[in-house]
Amino acid sequence: MARVIVMDLSRHNTVMVGHDRYFVLDCDGRSALVRDHCPHRGGPLSLARRTPDGRRLSCPWHGTKVGVAAVRRTCLPMVRSGDEALVMLPDGDDAPVSVIRKEILANLSPDPTHDEGAEHG
């Protein structure tokens, strides 16, 4: 059976489910709770910076470019109303859950100094 948690987005932007971390990614005025994991080598995408076009995140570990659309596909189901969000955790996952606030660089304006190198997604 799936579990549902309530997040106060004015106070929290990150969810830990066991060892898996998710963060609130803001994109085009919408929020999604996405996996904080680069597909290349597992770097923390919450610390990535957006490319100048805003469509990709540049992983802080190796500079791999990951499409925001691909990252959004890793999101957990979330319904937001104001600062409150209901989040559905994966089925059968009874791991401990904690919500925290951390710095999310991925939500800052695109970085005009990053090159457009390799991309994924």
Side-chain angles (χ1 to χ4, degrees), residues 88-117:
M88 186 180 307
L89 301 178
D91 280 340
D93 194 343
D94 58 355
V97 175
S98 58
V99 290
I100 60 173
R101 180 156 199 89
K102 62 178 276 195
E103 186 173 22
I104 305 290
L105 300 181
N107 288 330
L108 298 178
S109 297
D111 184 354
T113 63
H114 262 64
D115 63 0
E116 292 296 313

Side-chain angles (χ1 to χ4, degrees), residues 9-119:
L9 298 177
S10 68
R11 296 181 29 195
H12 304 111
N13 60 14
T14 303
V15 175
M16 294 289 299
V17 181
H19 296 291
D20 293 327
R21 185 172 54 237
Y22 297 85
F23 72 97
V24 176
L25 177 66
D26 296 324
C27 185
D28 299 327
R30 298 182 334 198
S31 298
L33 192 63
V34 301
R35 189 132 188 255
D36 194 5
H37 180 89
C38 176
H40 174 236
R41 303 275 306 259
L45 286 181
S46 60
L47 299 180
R49 291 298 306 262
R50 289 183 190 244
T51 58
D53 64 6
R55 295 185 349 202
R56 291 175 297 279
L57 298 174
S58 180
C59 178
W61 282 5
H62 300 101
T64 302
K65 307 294 188 283
V66 182
V68 170
V71 172
R72 289 182 62 86
R73 286 192 293 270
T74 70
C75 73
L76 294 178
M78 179 175 87
V79 176
R80 180 177 182 166
S81 177
D83 283 337
E84 184 176 272
L86 297 173
V87 178
M88 186 180 307
L89 301 178
D91 280 340
D93 194 343
D94 58 355
V97 175
S98 58
V99 290
I100 60 173
R101 180 156 199 89
K102 62 178 276 195
E103 186 173 22
I104 305 290
L105 300 181
N107 288 330
L108 298 178
S109 297
D111 184 354
T113 63
H114 262 64
D115 63 0
E116 292 296 313
E119 87 178 62

